Amino acid sequence: MINIFNRKELYMTYNLNKQAEVRSLLAEHGIEYDYKTIDRKSPSLVSAGSRARTGTAFEKRETELQYYIYVHKNDYDKARALLSLHGL
């Protein structure tokens, strides 16, 4: 089981297709993973309501969502080699 204490960040991307490709590759090879999606447009507790003031002008839609993929630290080298083999 992967948790915050035994995981290691394997991959970060803003591209939905890339994160799906990485997750699929890991699943095909039996490597357990966890992932996190961060919405960069959602307001934080510190800046709640700032979206209404600033709007979304000049912001890039392709960097709106950020994807992190984690693997167990014992599987990290195997997963890294697998991604390298597939050009990721």
Side-chain angles (χ1 to χ4, degrees):
M1 183 173 149
I2 297 175
N3 61 51
I4 196 165
F5 301 110
N6 66 13
R7 73 182 186 185
K8 191 167 181 178
E9 183 183 319
L10 175 68
Y11 198 79
M12 188 286 297
T13 185
Y14 291 100
N15 185 307
L16 176 64
N17 294 329
K18 286 283 186 196
Q19 71 87 25
E21 185 179 352
V22 170
R23 291 174 57 198
S24 176
L25 202 56
L26 293 171
E28 283 176 27
H29 289 85
I31 299 174
E32 186 180 0
Y33 66 88
D34 192 14
Y35 68 97
K36 174 172 64 172
T37 303
I38 297 177
D39 184 353
R40 294 288 172 202
K41 291 191 175 250
S42 67
S44 68
L45 293 174
V46 177
S47 64
S50 64
R51 181 68 52 223
R53 287 193 308 272
T54 61
T56 57
F58 308 107
E59 292 184 8
K60 296 180 181 179
R61 282 195 55 72
E62 61 269 10
T63 60
E64 183 175 321
L65 296 175
Q66 190 172 13
Y67 306 97
Y68 289 91
I69 299 174
Y70 303 94
V71 295
H72 193 284
K73 61 185 176 184
N74 294 341
D75 293 330
Y76 179 80
D77 291 333
K78 179 181 174 184
R80 188 72 243 150
L82 180 64
L83 295 187
S84 293
L85 186 65
H86 288 84
L88 295 169

